Amino acid sequence: MSYQKPVLELNTRPQPGPRSPERAEAVTAGEDYGTHLLENQLRVGDFVKIQRAFEPPEPSKITCMSREEFMQTMPEVVGWGSEEDYGKLFDRVDVTRDGFINWDKLNTFMLLSLYEKDEHMKATVVPQWKDLEFLAGKHKDTIQNVVFLRSLSRYLTISKEGLVGFWDENLKLQETFPITSDVMKLKHLWVTSLVSLENVNKVAVALTSKEICFYDLLSSEELSCQYKLQGLKAAPICMHYWYDPGDANTSVLSFGDVTGKVQAIVFTAASISLFESPGNVCEDEEATVIINWAELLSGNHKCCHVLQHKLHRGDWVRQVMYSASLEAIISSTTSNASTVVLAWREKPKKVLKMTSFNIDQGIHAFDYHSRLNLIATAGINNKVCLWNPYVVSKPAGVLWGHSASIIAVQFFVERKQLFSFSQDKVLRLWDVQHQLSIQRIACAFPQIQDFQCLFHFDEARGRLFISCNNQLALLAMQSEISRRVRSHEKAVTCVLYSSLLRQVISSDAGSTVSFWMIDTGQKIKQFTSCHGNAEISSMALDANETRLLTGSTDGTIKVWDFSGFCHHTLIVGQDGAVEILQILVLKKTILVTGWQRAITVFRPQNFKQFFIQPEVWKGGVQHQDDILCAAFSPPQILATGSYDGEIVLWNNSTENAHHVLHPKYQTLVKSQPDSKPQRCLSAGNSCSIRLQADQACRGPWSIQVDTEGNHAVTRLCFLEARKNIAATGGSNLVSCGGSGYVRFWDTFKKQLQAEFVAHNGVGPIIMCTDKLNRYLTTGDLDGRLKIWNIEEYCLNSSERRIAEAPPLLRSFQPHEDRISSLAMCEVGGCVLVLSSSADGSVCVTGICDTPVCIFGQAKHWNIENYLFLPERDTDLEEGDVQKKEVRAIPVFSKEKSCLEPKEHSPLSKEITDDSTYQLRPCEDINLVMNYKERNSYMKITQELSSGEAVQQAPSVFRLLHVGSLRELPVVCKPAFLLDPEQYFRAEAPDDHPPSPELPALSEILKSVFDEKNLFPKDILDRERKAKQLCQETSCEMKIRRNKKQL
C-alpha cells in the first residue's frame, strides 16, 4: 500500500528485541499509532515461531496456554521481549477473560488490530494534488454531468444544450456530437441530467421536454436512441441509477422533477430488456421504441414497476439517490421543510414508508456512506451536517469552516473522508471520524457571481472534476507514495550508470537530472530545468563517459559535461516537438529514434556550432510503423524495432537495410535505388516512402495493422558476449515489448529461435542485460521486476522454436507504478540492477534475494554489505571449480578495462585542462578506493601468476603467443662512465678555506617543530578555510534533515 515504509526497512535479517536502535529509529521516524505495543513490533518470522509453539502434538487437539505459560514460553520461543510485555499482550487477546488463549484467538486479534491500524492510517493520510488543470472542451453551455464509461474506458460529458463529449482516459477530447440530429428540437429543449446504466451499456438522458431517452453505447451509430420514455407529468431534473453487482437483472432508476415528485423505475430483467416492446413496433433494430409513462404506472410492463411519492410538496427535487443498504430512496430540496426525505421500500407491498429531516434554509446536495451509515448534507447555511438515517431529530455531527453556502458534498469512501465545495470556490477535505478539516484548497475559477457548478470525484482514478458553467477543471491526485521514499519529485523517466564516476544518473518528467553515489546512495549534485519544463524522455553517455546526452519531448537533445555546461543542442524535430525515445551513441554517429518511422543521424565530427541540424540517413525509411528502439553490435550491425513488431537489420557503415525480422515472417529488403534518403523526424508527419514490391514480399501479415501493439518492440539488446555464435548457431539478439513477450533471434540465420511470456496480462514490458549476458531483467507496468538466467539459453541452433522460459532467479515488486527504465552494472564483482519508475523512485538491488535500496532515503547504505560473491559448487569437478573461481574474482573485469584502451569519443575532443581537474568530494573518495583496489589487485595477480590456477586469461589477447624474450646484445659503456674522474673531477684551489663543521642538532634546537613552522602560511590558511567550510556544510545538512523530519 501507499503508506508502507520504505522497502529498505523491511529487513528479513534477525533482529534483536524492541529496544534495539533499529527498532527505536523506526518508531520515531515513522508511525506513532500503537508502535509501542508488542504486536506492532513482531515480524513475520516471530509469528512463525509463535505458531509452532501452539502446534498440538496431535492434529485433532488444540493447544491452549494460560497467562503464566504464555509469559514464560514466548520470550524463549521468539528470542526477545520481556515477560511483562507478553503478559500485556495476553490480556489484550483474552478479551472474554477465559484465562487461556490459543493460536486461533491470537490470530483473530492480530487481524483485527492490523485492520484497525490500516483504517486509521487511511483516514489520516492527506491526499496531494496536482495543479488545477482546465480541460479544453467544446461545450458552450453549462456542463450537467461527467460519467466514466467502463465498457468503453472513456469519460462522457454532456452540457445543457445537448452536446455530448467523449474523452479518453488521459482526458483528451476525442469527439463531440449533439444528442439528437433534430436541430429545431434542440433549440426548444435542455438536457437536465445524465446517468450511466453500466450493466446494460446504456445511458439515460433527461430532457425538459418531459422525456427520458435511453441511448445504446454499443450501437453502430454515434448514439442510438433505443427507448424514449414519454408522457411524464413534469420535467425530470435529476436522476440516479443503481444496479446489483451480483444480479445484473435487478436495477433501479430514480428521478425527481420540478413539482417535488420522486419516482423510481424498478427493473427486474434489465440484462434482457428494460421495457417490453409494443406489438406494433417495426423490425428495424435502430428504431426508437416509445414507452408511455401511463402504461408503466398501470403495470403493463412485466419486467419493471414504478414507485413514487410527493412528500416534497411542490419544491424542486435537487438530488435523488437509491441506497441498496438502506433499501430507500433519498431525495433533497432547498426548502427548510422536508429537506431530506427517505422513502423506505417494503418489497412485498411495493409501497414506500416515509421519514424526513427538516434543515434550516435547506440544502443544495447530499451524499451517503454505507459503511459509516451517515448522510452528509451541503447546507445553504454554510454548514456540513452528518445525519444518522434513523435519527431525524438532530444531526450526529456538524462540520464548521466554510464561509459561504456549500453547493456540493461527496464522500471519499475508501478513506472515510468527505469533500465539500462552497459558493466561494473553496474545497475542503474532512476527517469524518474526528470531524476536523484536514485540507483546504482555493480553486482559481473566474470571478463570476452567478454560476452553476458540477462536482464529481472519480475515486477509482483519483480525479476530481469541478465545472464552472461551461468550463471543466480537473484536480488530479498525485500517486500515493507519501510514506515511500522518493528519489525525484516527479516521475523518473531514465536511469544510467557511469562506471567512470561510479555514479547513478537519473532524470525525471520535470527536466531534472540527479547524480547518486552507488556506494552509499547519497545525492552528489542535480541539474534542474535542463530542457525548461519539458520532460526528459531519454539519456545516453558517450564512449568515454565524459559527456551526457539528454533527449526531451521538446524535440531537442543537449550535450552536457558533468559540471553542468551545455556544449551543443541537437535539433531533432524541425517542424516542432517530437518524442525522443532512444539516443544511440556510436563511434562516428549519434542515432535518434522517436515516435516516427525515420532514423535521425548526427555526426559529431561536424559539431562546430551550438545548434546542430541533423544530417541525411542514406537508408531512407524501411519501417512501416513507428520506430521505438534500436541496438548496435560491432562492427556494423544495427537493429531497429517498431510498433508493428518488425525488426530491421541495417549495415551501419553503408546505412542500408538488408533484412526484416518479424514473429510471423522474415524477408530480405530489396534495394531501392530510386528512393531518396530521408532527413530528420518531423512533428506530426511520418515518412511513408515504401516500394509496393517490398510490401508484397512480406506476405499477408504485413498488411494487418497491429492497433493494440501486441507485437510492439520496446527494447532491443545484442548479446555481444556470445562471440562464436555465428559458427555454433544460437541467439545473439533479444527483443521484448507488447503482451509481455521476450524473443531471442539469430541475426546470422535470420530466424526466431525462442519466445516466452515473461509478464502475463500487464501489457508492454522493458528489459536490459548485463555486460556478460548472463542475466536478463524485465519490468512491467505494475512495477514488478523479474530476473532470468540466460547464460545457457539458446546457445545452439534448433529447428524447433523454443517456448520454455529460462530459469527465473527472482520475481519481486520494488515499485508501485510503471517501470520506466532499467540498467545493470557490476560493482565489487557482483551484478546490480538499477530501476526507475513513474512513482518517483530509483532503486538498486542484487540478482539474488538482497534488500532493495532506494536512492534518496535518509539512511545511507554501504553497498559492500549487500553484495555477496558466488558460492562454490562442491559438486563440480576440480577443474570446473578452478575455472569458476577465476570467473568469480572481480579483478578480471578491472584488468580488462585497464588493458583495453577506451574507444575515443568525438564528443570529448574539446575537453580543456580546466574541466579535467573539476573534482568533487565523491571523486576524491573514489581515488582512495581505487588505490586500495589496485594494491589488492596486484597481490592477487601475483598469486595467480605463481600458481597454475589460471589456465586461460580472460582478455582479448588470450590467443597471442607469448614466448621467451631474446637476449640483448652486449652494450659497451661509454668512456665517461668507465673513467668519470677524468671527465668530471675538478681540483680545489689551495687558498680555498675548509668548510666549517655543522653544529649538532641538540645544540641549536630551542623549540619543538610544529606544522606552522613546517608549511607556508598560505597552505595552512587554505586548509583552515576548507575545514571551516566542511563544518558549515555538515551543520546545514543536519538542519535540513531535521526540518524534513519535522
Side-chain angles (χ1 to χ4, degrees):
M1 296 182 183
S2 60
Y3 46 85
Q4 289 179 346
K5 294 183 180 180
V7 181
L8 181 64
E9 296 183 6
L10 300 178
N11 199 343
T12 57
R13 294 178 294 176
Q15 298 289 340
R19 298 182 183 276
S20 66
E22 293 187 9
R23 290 179 179 270
E25 180 181 353
V27 171
T28 56
E31 312 164 358
D32 58 352
Y33 181 74
T35 51
H36 63 284
L37 300 177
L38 180 63
E39 57 265 27
N40 292 331
Q41 302 179 28
L42 293 172
R43 297 176 180 266
V44 177
D46 300 333
F47 283 109
V48 173
K49 297 176 182 178
I50 296 175
Q51 184 182 13
R52 291 174 181 173
F54 276 102
E55 288 181 354
E58 299 180 5
S60 59
K61 295 184 178 180
I62 299 176
T63 302
C64 298
M65 291 188 186
S66 63
R67 193 177 191 273
E68 291 74 15
E69 293 175 344
F70 189 78
M71 292 172 58
Q72 295 175 1
T73 305
M74 289 303 120
E76 299 176 0
V77 171
V78 179
W80 61 271
S82 62
E83 294 185 359
E84 182 181 359
D85 293 336
Y86 285 101
K88 294 179 180 179
L89 175 60
F90 183 93
D91 295 336
R92 289 191 292 271
V93 175
D94 188 17
V95 180
T96 58
R97 296 295 183 263
D98 296 331
F100 63 89
I101 61 173
N102 53 27
W103 171 247
D104 292 339
K105 212 171 184 179
L106 178 62
N107 197 18
T108 302
F109 169 78
M110 291 304 305
L111 291 176
L112 291 175
S113 299
L114 291 174
Y115 176 78
E116 180 183 355
K117 181 180 178 182
D118 185 47
E119 291 296 317
H120 174 80
M121 297 304 298
K122 289 181 181 178
T124 55
V125 171
V126 178
Q128 300 299 318
W129 305 92
K130 299 179 181 179
D131 295 336
L132 187 67
E133 177 185 1
F134 287 91
L135 305 179
K138 296 183 179 180
H139 294 290
K140 298 180 180 179
D141 210 333
T142 304
I143 298 175
Q144 300 287 45
N145 285 86
V146 177
V147 295
F148 182 75
L149 306 176
R150 295 183 183 179
S151 59
L152 303 179
S153 296
R154 296 195 295 178
Y155 286 94
L156 185 148
T157 58
I158 191 168
S159 54
K160 185 184 292 186
E161 80 274 15
L163 187 65
V164 178
F166 281 96
W167 311 67
D168 61 11
E169 285 193 281
N170 297 323
L171 293 174
K172 302 297 182 183
L173 185 61
Q174 294 182 327
E175 56 182 345
T176 59
F177 46 83
I179 198 68
T180 179
S181 58
D182 191 349
V183 180
M184 295 301 297
K185 189 174 182 179
L186 275 178
K187 294 181 179 180
H188 302 286
L189 62 83
W190 280 350
V191 173
T192 57
S193 182
L194 178 143
V195 291
S196 173
L197 285 62
E198 294 181 359
N199 59 329
V200 293
N201 295 314
K202 295 178 177 59
V203 292
V205 180
L207 305 171
T208 54
S209 59
K210 302 178 184 180
E211 297 175 338
I212 298 178
C213 298
F214 296 84
Y215 294 88
D216 189 4
L217 297 174
L218 303 181
S219 64
S220 57
E221 298 180 2
E222 293 178 342
L223 271 184
S224 175
C225 183
Q226 187 175 8
Y227 299 103
K228 182 178 291 186
L229 181 59
Q230 295 180 342
L232 297 174
K233 300 302 181 181
I237 58 175
C238 60
M239 291 193 301
H240 179 265
Y241 183 77
W242 169 89
Y243 71 94
D244 188 355
D247 183 9
N249 288 320
T250 304
S251 59
V252 177
L253 174 65
S254 53
F255 57 94
D257 59 26
V258 295
T259 63
K261 184 181 295 186
V262 176
Q263 302 165 101
I265 306 174
V266 181
F267 299 99
T268 57
S271 60
I272 301 174
S273 177
L274 293 179
F275 306 99
E276 293 182 2
S277 300
N280 57 353
V281 67
C282 61
E283 297 180 356
D284 187 6
E285 295 182 356
E286 302 296 335
T288 302
V289 178
I290 305 299
I291 306 298
N292 194 296
W293 178 248
E295 294 179 357
L296 286 181
L297 293 177
S298 61
N300 292 341
H301 293 260
K302 304 300 181 183
C303 56
C304 60
H305 63 272
V306 178
L307 301 174
Q308 59 182 346
H309 73 82
K310 302 180 181 179
L311 197 59
H312 289 293
R313 299 181 181 90
D315 296 317
W316 285 27
V317 180
R318 298 295 181 177
Q319 186 178 351
V320 65
M321 173 191 294
Y322 177 78
S323 172
S325 59
L326 295 176
E327 292 189 357
I329 304 172
I330 311 173
S331 56
S332 67
T333 66
T334 55
S335 174
N336 56 4
S338 299
T339 310
V340 178
V341 174
L342 278 78
W344 308 85
R345 289 181 61 189
E346 296 183 2
K347 290 184 178 179
K349 301 179 182 180
K350 296 183 181 180
V351 295
L352 299 174
K353 183 180 179 181
M354 318 300 294
T355 58
S356 62
F357 303 145
N358 297 327
I359 303 176
D360 186 26
Q361 300 182 24
I363 65 172
H364 281 122
F366 68 90
D367 194 16
Y368 174 70
H369 197 298
S370 58
R371 283 189 287 173
L372 295 176
N373 196 27
L374 287 176
I375 298 175
T377 57
I380 301 177
N381 56 1
N382 307 349
K383 294 186 296 184
V384 177
C385 295
L386 304 176
W387 299 83
N388 187 323
Y390 303 99
V391 180
V392 299
S393 58
K394 63 177 181 179
V398 179
L399 306 180
W400 302 81
H402 283 286
S403 57
S405 175
I406 303 169
I407 55 179
V409 289
Q410 186 172 349
F411 278 104
F412 197 157
V413 178
E414 183 65 23
R415 296 187 179 179
K416 299 178 181 177
Q417 297 172 344
L418 178 68
F419 289 104
S420 62
F421 189 70
S422 59
Q423 191 77 26
D424 56 356
K425 308 177 186 66
V426 173
L427 174 68
R428 284 187 179 271
L429 181 63
W430 304 85
D431 181 357
V432 177
Q433 182 179 2
H434 298 92
Q435 299 183 14
L436 295 174
S437 176
I438 59 177
Q439 193 173 41
R440 181 186 181 276
I441 300 175
C443 300
F445 280 103
Q447 296 295 331
I448 303 175
Q449 294 295 331
D450 186 15
F451 74 96
Q452 295 184 6
C453 173
L454 166 70
F455 187 90
H456 173 70
F457 178 56
D458 185 3
E459 185 172 341
R461 292 154 196 84
R463 290 170 172 172
L464 180 62
F465 297 92
I466 306 174
S467 72
C468 178
N469 294 337
N470 65 332
Q471 290 184 335
L472 184 61
L474 170 67
L475 198 61
M477 287 179 57
Q478 295 182 0
S479 300
E480 286 298 331
I481 48 177
S482 57
R483 292 187 175 268
R484 179 182 172 87
V485 176
R486 301 191 67 178
S487 308
H488 288 255
E489 290 296 328
K490 296 188 177 181
V492 186
T493 56
C494 190
V495 62
L496 296 175
Y497 177 71
S498 172
S499 58
L500 179 66
L501 302 177
R502 289 176 62 92
Q503 293 178 9
V504 176
I505 308 171
S506 58
S507 63
D508 64 14
S511 200
T512 299
V513 177
S514 299
F515 296 78
W516 314 83
M517 289 185 64
I518 188 68
D519 299 312
T520 61
Q522 180 182 1
K523 183 187 287 188
I524 302 302
K525 58 186 175 183
Q526 180 173 287
F527 300 159
T528 58
S529 301
C530 296
H531 291 262
N533 296 325
E535 172 185 338
I536 298 178
S537 56
S538 60
M539 291 196 302
L541 292 169
D542 67 341
N544 288 337
E545 297 186 358
T546 58
R547 290 289 185 268
L548 175 66
L549 288 81
T550 59
S552 174
T553 54
D554 61 0
T556 63
I557 296 176
K558 294 188 177 182
V559 182
W560 308 81
D561 60 21
F562 293 110
S563 61
F565 179 76
C566 180
H567 293 264
H568 303 286
T569 297
L570 315 183
I571 309 299
V572 180
Q574 291 184 338
D575 297 337
V578 296
E579 186 174 4
I580 299 172
L581 297 181
Q582 186 173 354
I583 305 171
L584 193 61
V585 182
L586 304 182
K587 188 174 182 179
K588 296 181 180 180
T589 58
I590 299 176
L591 305 181
V592 184
T593 61
W595 207 259
Q596 301 290 337
R597 289 187 257 181
I599 299 177
T600 304
V601 59
F602 296 90
R603 309 186 193 280
Q605 60 267 25
N606 299 330
F607 287 7
K608 298 179 181 180
Q609 297 180 353
F610 182 79
F611 292 101
I612 308 298
Q613 297 294 332
E615 301 190 21
V616 174
W617 177 254
K618 302 176 183 178
V621 177
Q622 297 296 336
H623 281 281
Q624 294 182 345
D625 213 328
D626 303 322
I627 301 176
L628 305 183
C629 58
F632 177 75
S633 177
Q636 59 189 12
I637 302 178
L638 174 67
T640 55
S642 59
Y643 186 80
D644 58 0
E646 287 188 347
I647 300 175
V648 177
L649 300 180
W650 308 73
N651 186 319
N652 188 58
S653 301
T654 62
E655 298 183 1
N656 290 325
H658 52 84
H659 277 88
V660 175
L661 306 179
H662 191 274
K664 303 298 182 181
Y665 57 85
Q666 292 83 41
T667 62
L668 176 68
V669 178
K670 295 184 180 181
S671 60
Q672 302 179 18
D674 297 333
S675 63
K676 297 181 180 180
Q678 302 298 321
R679 290 188 65 85
C680 66
L681 302 173
S682 59
N685 298 322
S686 299
C687 302
S688 59
I689 298 177
R690 197 73 170 184
L691 292 179
Q692 295 181 358
D694 187 19
Q695 295 179 354
C697 71
R698 296 190 180 188
W701 285 100
S702 62
I703 302 176
Q704 298 180 3
V705 180
D706 184 15
T707 57
E708 298 180 358
N710 295 327
H711 298 294
V713 181
T714 57
R715 292 292 188 276
L716 286 171
C717 181
F718 278 101
L719 304 178
E720 299 181 16
R722 301 184 177 184
K723 298 295 183 182
N724 300 325
I725 208 70
T728 62
S731 302
N732 66 332
L733 176 65
V734 186
S735 67
C736 74
S739 301
Y741 271 91
V742 175
R743 296 181 171 91
F744 284 73
W745 305 82
D746 184 355
T747 59
F748 297 101
K749 296 184 178 180
K750 312 300 184 297
Q751 66 179 6
L752 175 63
Q753 291 196 340
E755 65 176 354
F756 64 93
V757 180
H759 300 256
N760 192 11
V762 293
I765 62 174
I766 61 174
M767 68 173 185
C768 70
T769 63
D770 62 319
K771 289 186 177 180
L772 298 180
N773 303 139
R774 294 174 295 176
Y775 309 107
L776 175 72
T777 304
T778 57
D780 59 26
L781 300 179
D782 293 336
R784 177 168 291 277
L785 288 182
K786 291 186 178 181
I787 302 176
W788 313 81
N789 185 355
I790 61 170
E791 191 172 9
E792 305 293 334
Y793 191 71
C794 288
L795 290 179
N796 300 316
S797 178
S798 176
E799 297 180 357
R800 182 181 63 89
R801 183 180 298 179
I802 301 174
E804 295 81 9
L808 179 62
L809 301 179
R810 189 179 181 188
S811 177
F812 59 106
Q813 187 172 358
H815 299 282
E816 298 175 344
D817 205 339
R818 171 182 57 89
I819 294 179
S820 57
S821 180
L822 290 172
M824 300 184 74
C825 61
E826 187 173 347
V827 177
C830 289
V831 179
L832 298 180
V833 178
L834 300 170
S835 60
S836 64
S837 172
D839 62 4
S841 63
V842 180
C843 297
V844 59
T845 185
I847 298 297
C848 301
D849 293 332
T850 53
V852 178
C853 305
I854 304 178
F855 290 94
Q857 63 187 36
K859 184 177 181 180
H860 295 161
W861 62 77
N862 186 356
I863 200 67
E864 296 179 356
N865 295 339
Y866 300 97
L867 304 182
F868 306 93
L869 292 176
E871 297 181 357
R872 297 184 183 180
D873 191 351
T874 55
D875 297 332
L876 297 177
E877 298 179 0
E878 182 178 358
D880 296 333
V881 172
Q882 291 177 352
K883 292 180 181 180
K884 192 168 184 178
E885 287 178 358
V886 172
R887 293 183 64 186
I889 296 176
V891 296
F892 285 106
S893 60
K894 297 177 183 179
E895 177 190 13
K896 182 175 180 181
S897 63
C898 296
L899 293 176
E900 296 179 7
K902 278 190 175 285
E903 183 181 2
H904 175 68
S905 173
L907 295 176
S908 57
K909 63 183 180 181
E910 69 269 23
I911 299 178
T912 60
D913 295 338
D914 297 335
S915 62
T916 305
Y917 294 97
Q918 292 179 355
L919 295 179
R920 291 169 294 279
C922 63
E923 297 174 333
D924 299 336
I925 298 174
N926 289 336
L927 291 176
V928 180
M929 187 176 298
N930 293 335
Y931 174 76
K932 294 180 180 179
E933 292 175 352
R934 185 167 64 250
N935 290 342
S936 61
Y937 158 67
M938 295 299 296
K939 294 180 182 179
I940 295 176
T941 51
Q942 291 175 3
E943 294 175 1
L944 292 176
S945 61
S946 61
E948 299 179 357
V950 180
Q951 303 294 334
Q952 296 179 353
S955 65
V956 296
F957 306 103
R958 62 178 180 272
L959 299 180
L960 296 178
H961 175 70
V962 181
S964 58
L965 298 176
R966 297 179 181 179
E967 294 183 0
L968 296 176
V970 178
V971 179
C972 298
K973 296 182 179 181
F976 66 89
L977 293 178
L978 297 175
D979 191 5
E981 294 182 358
Q982 181 180 356
Y983 294 88
F984 303 108
R985 184 178 59 186
E987 297 181 356
D990 297 335
D991 57 350
H992 183 72
S995 301
E997 296 182 359
L998 296 175
L1001 183 62
S1002 59
E1003 298 177 0
I1004 63 174
L1005 186 63
K1006 297 182 180 180
S1007 61
V1008 180
F1009 278 99
D1010 56 2
E1011 62 180 7
K1012 295 181 179 180
N1013 297 326
L1014 292 176
F1015 299 98
K1017 182 179 179 182
D1018 56 342
I1019 295 179
L1020 297 176
D1021 293 339
R1022 221 176 305 160
E1023 183 181 10
R1024 178 179 54 80
K1025 292 179 181 179
K1027 289 181 179 179
Q1028 184 178 359
L1029 179 61
C1030 182
Q1031 292 177 357
E1032 293 176 357
T1033 305
S1034 61
C1035 292
E1036 291 179 0
M1037 292 180 65
K1038 289 181 180 179
I1039 294 173
R1040 292 176 182 175
R1041 192 182 299 114
N1042 294 333
K1043 289 182 178 180
K1044 290 181 179 179
Q1045 292 178 357
L1046 295 176

